[in-house]
Amino acid sequence: MSDPWWRSAVVYQIYPRSFCDTTGNGIGDLEGIRRKLDHLVWLGVDALWLSPIFPSPMADHGYDVADYCDVEPLFGSLEDLDRLLDEAHARGLRLLLDWVPNHSSDRHPWFLESRASRDNPKRDWYVWVDGTPETPPTPWQAVFPAGPAWAWDERTRAWYLHRFTPEQPDLNWSNPDLRAAMLDTLRFWLDRGVDGFRMDVVHFIGIDPSRIAPGFDGPTDPARSHAHLREIRRVLDGYTGDRVGVGEVYILEPEELATYLGHDDELHLAFNFRPVWVPWDAKTYAREIDRAESAFAEPRWPTWVLSNHDRPRHRTRFGRDGAARAAAVWLLGVRGTPFLYAGEELGLQDAAVPPELVQDPMGSRDGCRAPLPWDATPGHGWASPEPWLPWPPEVDTRNVAALREDETSILHLYRRLLAARRASPALHAGRQRRLDGPDDVIVLERERDGDRRRVLVNFAPETRRCPADGDWIVEVASDGVGEGAAFDGRLAPDGAVVLRPER
Ligand code: NOJ
């Protein structure tokens, strides 16, 4: 049996608001994504994941869904989504949507019904506790903004649970009708042909009503989350085409994270977020690789991510261009499915967002959500010169058009890495061994069916010597130097290489 496509794929995350605006309202849209499909094929990614595109009052920029089965008018229409999907598929690109199962918007018709009266048939689709306005049922705090995870609703004199903003009431997955309705929302998109879903905070969904009491640290019973994930998996498995479920399971212990793959009957993939929190340092990364290799040993498969829409970009975190280039070699050379965040292939840094322009309900995530600059014109390829957030730094030179022109750019490095990875079974599907290297250097050996590669990453901003046994050719170098020539054992400052055996 051949490997499912998502094991060897590179997934490219698009934050639709920030990708490309074609209507002039300062907000990116589906048509903007469609127009850039050929560019993404040129770059060489395999799949796109769109952060939520559903109708939303945008209290959390789409992670507050008011209708799971339609498209937000700011982004376009259902027809636009169908067209995008068709045109992506015609180019061999898969498309993943971002399903938000833990909470809806407070404007979702389900919540409007639920809050209308205590005996409404949908009352129990959310988590309500009767009480008095002075004291929330438990001391639980929301993830953001700072404050209780409960909001008082005067009409029915009860509290509802919201582990994120008050505009994002938690859905009650212990109710079978809610579960059936949510599974139907998956079928709606699967029937239209989407290739799978990224699933928002999906480890939270196993609500156990008996835990909604002081003394518990939250309402989630992991055993229930696992059971719901098995139900979700059965829906995906009912379709042909290896539809994939990728879990945002925000658990930083890889061993526990891996349990959310079940016995190949829960999620297919789960994000390992450790690299977005740890420093760029060889010892640290060696440890992270070893931990993931053991927690996600075959038949499991790891994921890797350096940047996303919730954390400062890794170029900003690491502070050096060279380190961002070396990190690209690491991300596309390590065993697992990599997730790229749109803009990292440009080496983008976070925008500086002055307090009066802050949009994010958490307050800290706007910088990495800055709009993508397509060219050096005043509007940088956007229909409006005034996008919803300020442009990132160096926008006149660090934009898609300028970097496509410059073969030494980081954009071309990503393109060469993606091409090398696609062509090499060792890189996109092989097993991995970490070899000893000098201080500050990580050495990975990859192998599949006789195909071999070595990935060497120098984390130090100084030269390191790392002689390789045998004769190796530099296939890709993070600084572009020496590609196609024999490897001489020297790693440039912040230098990283992919090597192939001479024969
Ligand atoms: C995780 C998402 O990545 C984040 O952007 C969002 O704010 C929360 N989940 C709540 O949906």
Side-chain angles (χ1 to χ4, degrees):
M1 213 174 76
S2 63
D3 290 343
W5 65 269
W6 43 264
R7 279 175 75 117
S8 52
V10 176
V11 185
Y12 183 85
Q13 180 194 357
I14 292 179
Y15 196 68
R17 295 179 76 84
S18 302
F19 197 67
C20 180
D21 162 29
T22 62
T23 65
N25 62 2
I27 292 174
D29 45 59
L30 296 180
E31 173 60 12
I33 299 170
R34 192 190 68 78
R35 290 187 196 170
K36 302 302 181 187
L37 288 177
D38 285 331
H39 168 70
L40 297 171
V41 169
W42 173 88
L43 178 60
V45 296
D46 303 293
L48 312 179
W49 143 35
L50 310 185
S51 284
I53 45 88
F54 315 111
S56 168
M58 299 286 166
D60 188 17
H61 297 123
Y63 285 96
D64 48 321
V65 177
D67 181 350
Y68 287 95
C69 299
D70 204 348
V71 169
E72 162 62 38
L74 280 172
F75 297 143
S77 63
L78 206 46
E79 290 69 40
D80 293 326
L81 196 278
D82 286 340
R83 184 166 178 211
L84 176 62
L85 188 58
D86 281 353
E87 295 200 14
H89 283 169
R91 289 164 175 78
L93 290 169
R94 317 266 179 166
L95 192 75
L96 310 185
L97 297 184
D98 203 326
W99 187 56
V100 190
N102 179 67
H103 43 266
S104 73
S105 161
D106 63 346
R107 316 271 181 86
H108 195 296
W110 296 344
F111 188 70
L112 298 181
E113 284 191 51
S114 184
R115 85 186 318 178
S117 68
R118 287 186 183 203
D119 54 10
N120 187 282
K122 292 201 174 60
R123 180 65 167 183
D124 188 46
W125 286 30
Y126 294 82
V127 182
W128 291 99
V129 177
D130 296 342
T132 57
E134 294 76 40
T135 331
T138 67
W140 303 337
Q141 294 293 297
V143 177
F144 64 82
W150 296 98
W152 175 251
D153 199 53
E154 185 54 36
R155 175 156 7 158
T156 55
R157 298 195 57 80
W159 294 90
Y160 67 85
L161 180 69
H162 61 86
R163 279 175 284 177
F164 293 88
T165 72
E167 292 83 11
Q168 293 166 294
D170 277 41
L171 290 160
N172 179 13
W173 276 73
S174 70
N175 180 297
D177 295 335
L178 176 277
R179 281 206 302 280
M182 284 304 284
L183 297 181
D184 277 347
T185 69
L186 290 175
R187 293 187 186 98
F188 177 85
W189 294 107
L190 291 165
D191 288 340
R192 298 187 100 82
V194 308
D195 298 287
F197 303 91
R198 179 261 191 195
M199 301 181 179
D200 193 66
V201 287
V202 73
H203 59 307
F204 270 19
I205 64 177
I207 299 262
D208 175 357
S210 73
R211 292 178 57 100
I212 300 172
F216 289 99
D217 59 3
T220 299
D221 170 11
R224 288 183 181 230
S225 296
H226 289 291
H228 300 327
L229 282 168
R230 286 192 290 274
E231 262 193 285
I232 290 166
R233 173 64 175 263
R234 284 196 290 275
V235 172
L236 297 177
D237 284 350
Y239 286 78
T240 56
D242 289 326
R243 313 296 174 100
V244 66
V246 186
E248 191 211 26
V249 174
Y250 229 112
I251 291 177
L252 291 174
E253 285 73 40
E255 303 72 25
E256 192 184 341
L257 176 65
T259 66
Y260 285 80
L261 308 189
H263 302 282
D264 194 21
D265 58 355
E266 298 186 29
L267 294 164
H268 297 92
L269 296 171
F271 288 122
N272 173 5
F273 286 118
R274 295 185 63 84
V276 307
W277 294 99
V278 300
W280 179 246
D281 161 271
K283 280 203 179 63
T284 307
Y285 270 70
R287 214 172 31 239
E288 298 306 341
I289 291 167
D290 293 352
R291 259 185 102 173
E293 277 295 283
S294 104
F296 291 89
E298 289 285 356
R300 291 176 172 160
W301 191 249
T303 66
W304 295 101
V305 41
L306 284 170
S307 287
N308 63 25
H309 64 295
D310 288 331
R311 287 279 296 146
R313 287 181 176 277
H314 63 273
R315 167 66 187 83
T316 298
R317 301 199 310 272
F318 299 168
R320 307 193 302 277
D321 264 337
R325 283 176 175 256
V329 176
W330 172 78
L331 180 61
L332 294 169
V334 70
R335 172 180 169 264
T337 298
F339 287 76
L340 311 185
Y341 179 48
E344 72 177 69
E345 74 282 15
L346 308 177
L348 287 190
Q349 298 191 57
D350 283 13
V353 180
E356 67 279 10
L357 296 183
V358 167
Q359 309 278 335
D360 173 25
M362 193 169 171
S364 59
R365 301 176 297 181
D366 288 328
C368 65
R369 298 175 178 179
L372 228 74
W374 290 95
D375 59 35
T377 62
H380 300 295
W382 281 51
S384 152
E386 292 263 329
W388 73 290
L389 282 170
W391 296 105
E394 305 177 296
V395 74
D396 290 327
T397 49
R398 203 176 275 281
N399 56 64
V400 175
L403 300 190
R404 270 185 77 143
E405 283 293 299
D406 174 5
E407 294 213 350
T408 69
S409 69
I410 187 169
L411 178 60
H412 276 269
L413 170 64
Y414 270 85
R415 183 168 187 248
R416 292 197 305 282
L417 285 167
L418 286 161
R421 184 187 158 93
R422 185 175 285 176
S424 163
L427 286 177
H428 65 241
R431 56 170 171 262
Q432 172 169 287
R433 221 159 38 106
R434 197 168 65 72
L435 307 181
D436 287 340
D439 281 356
D440 301 317
V441 174
I442 281 184
V443 182
L444 302 175
E445 162 122 327
R446 307 290 314 276
E447 193 276 335
R448 168 93 181 223
D449 299 336
D451 182 45
R452 288 170 70 210
R453 292 293 182 278
R454 288 243 174 120
V455 180
L456 277 60
V457 183
N458 176 9
F459 286 70
E462 292 131 34
T463 304
R464 289 285 179 264
R465 298 232 18 109
C466 187
D469 49 315
D471 296 324
W472 296 86
I473 303 288
V474 177
E475 185 164 30
V476 183
S478 60
D479 57 5
V481 175
E483 290 181 0
F487 178 59
D488 64 3
R490 183 185 164 277
L491 285 171
D494 289 323
V497 289
V498 176
L499 305 180
R500 65 177 147 77
E502 191 169 345
R503 68 184 128 248

